[in-house]
Amino acid sequence: MKHLLGIADLSRSEIEEILEVSEAMLEISQREVKRVPTLRGRTVMNVFLESSTRTRVSFEIAAKRLSADAINVSSVGSSLSKSETLNDMARNLAAMNADVLIVRDRTAGVPQMLAQRVRVPVINAGDGLHEHPTQALLDVFTARQSLGRLDGRVVAIVGDIAHSRVARSDIYAFSKLGAEVRVAGPPTMIPPGVEALGVKPCYSIGEALEGADVIAMLRIQQERIEGALFPSVREYAQVFGLNQRTLALASPNAIVLHPGPINRGVEIAPEVADNEPSRILDQVTNGVAVRMAVLYLLTGGET
Ligand code: CP
């Protein structure tokens, strides 16, 4: 791997290699002293030009657990506000001998564009509604912790599929690992032609959840929506929300995932989010390990 721009670019064996290294990184994160010297002297630039809690903080923790220097850059307080282009900013950061550039931006394609213009590895930390590859990697990692191999497993991704970069990356990741993927949501939130990605569109949560092993709930991506796509939040919660009643439609051993931030009482009921079989906080824990693995592999580490 030279960059990590999307799951679409990865083969099954490349995904499995990252997951294998993530296992070792998780073990490091469980030690009393959670730090190894692997990336000592390296510099990781964490460029987040869109809001983030989990991804930004976990990349910073991941870099520090590997003994790299982690530098955070946001649009507020940067020279982007003085009309500097993103391209110039990235080239200047790379000129400070950065070893990795992590980029989140509200526009799809920005990490790809920068990867063509700087000489350091670029990691996509979420670009518009395109991809969020490290989220998908931590999602499949978490699912494998509970279920083992994912071949033949049924994965239901429920919610705002059309505006979700997590949905797209999850579809690629789970499909490449052999799972059957269904997507569900109101017709206004299912992109036309989604079948071309090899998934089954469902227009009721019951159809998607029947016998599902993994339920991946998604937030309504209000920041990327203009106008109303459903009559009311209350109605959305009643028809597409995950609660004890709808959870019972899934496989008895099903697990529940959510990338966060969650909107309690909208796409997921609090009693489902906070109890078995929710793996939401495991996802956050695993996110650090997966991002350590990605940083390690992109800076020349070997399995
Ligand atoms: N899952 C996720 O990307 O969360 P943040 O926006 O908080 O990083």
Side-chain angles (χ1 to χ4, degrees):
M1 281 200 306
K2 193 157 177 268
H3 307 283
L4 178 62
L5 301 176
I7 301 292
D9 306 328
L10 300 182
S11 65
R12 176 174 180 146
S13 64
E14 285 171 323
I15 295 172
E16 286 176 335
E17 182 182 6
I18 296 168
L19 300 182
E20 192 182 315
V21 177
S22 302
E23 297 279 1
M25 297 303 180
L26 187 62
E27 188 274 320
I28 292 168
S29 292
Q30 289 162 343
R31 294 179 192 169
E32 197 177 333
V33 178
K34 305 171 187 62
R35 188 179 285 244
V36 289
T38 315
L39 297 188
R40 189 188 293 150
R42 306 291 183 100
T43 304
V44 173
M45 294 282 187
N46 222 2
V47 183
F48 275 70
L49 306 176
E50 194 189 46
S51 305
S52 170
T53 298
R54 280 147 289 271
T55 315
R56 183 180 60 76
V57 174
S58 63
F59 263 120
E60 185 177 349
I61 293 174
K64 287 179 173 168
R65 288 199 179 155
L66 294 170
S67 299
D69 295 317
I71 311 297
N72 291 313
V73 182
S74 66
S75 48
V76 177
S78 80
S79 288
L80 290 174
S81 63
K82 294 188 273 185
S83 303
E84 183 173 35
T85 65
L86 200 49
N87 186 23
D88 278 333
M89 183 175 92
R91 292 178 64 209
N92 278 266
L93 294 175
M96 294 176 206
N97 292 330
D99 294 286
V100 182
L101 212 55
I102 300 162
V103 181
R104 168 171 288 194
D105 195 86
R106 62 196 293 273
T107 307
V110 162
Q112 287 80 350
M113 178 193 80
L114 296 180
Q116 290 164 1
R117 287 167 168 79
V118 295
R119 287 166 187 243
V120 296
V122 174
I123 299 174
N124 179 0
D127 62 327
L129 46 78
H130 173 229
E131 279 226 41
H132 191 348
T134 55
Q135 179 68 48
L137 291 167
L138 74 89
D139 288 349
V140 293
F141 184 88
T142 305
R144 288 193 352 163
Q145 268 181 335
S146 293
L147 303 170
R149 287 178 70 89
L150 298 178
D151 295 277
R153 296 290 191 174
V154 175
V155 178
I157 306 175
V158 182
D160 183 6
I161 311 297
H163 302 95
S164 171
R165 55 194 174 210
V166 176
R168 189 184 293 253
S169 292
D170 270 356
I171 289 169
Y172 291 133
F174 280 104
S175 302
K176 287 183 184 208
L177 293 179
E180 175 199 323
V181 181
R182 303 171 187 163
V183 295
T188 48
M189 291 183 174
I190 304 275
V194 72
E195 297 91 335
L197 296 177
V199 302
K200 180 183 174 206
C202 303
Y203 298 98
S204 81
I205 192 167
E207 185 187 358
L209 260 50
E210 192 184 348
D213 301 293
V214 178
I215 306 167
M217 298 305 295
L218 296 175
R219 178 176 68 86
I220 300 164
Q221 312 282 305
Q222 210 62 56
E223 67 275 27
R224 297 189 200 108
I225 298 175
E226 285 176 17
L229 297 184
F230 49 89
S232 70
V233 170
R234 195 158 147 244
E235 193 162 342
Y236 180 87
Q238 281 171 356
V239 178
F240 283 100
L242 186 67
N243 49 41
Q244 295 291 6
R245 177 184 58 80
T246 46
L247 179 60
L249 301 168
S251 159
N253 298 320
I255 60 164
V256 175
L257 304 180
H258 193 307
I262 62 175
N263 290 149
R264 292 174 177 270
V266 182
E267 73 273 9
I268 189 164
E271 63 270 22
V272 175
D274 297 334
N275 293 296
E276 272 293 314
S278 167
R279 298 287 182 272
I280 295 172
L281 291 181
D282 293 331
Q283 288 173 271
V284 178
T285 303
N286 294 335
V288 176
V290 165
R291 289 173 178 125
M292 288 168 76
V294 169
L295 288 173
Y296 171 73
L297 290 169
L298 278 177
T299 50
E302 293 174 5
T303 46

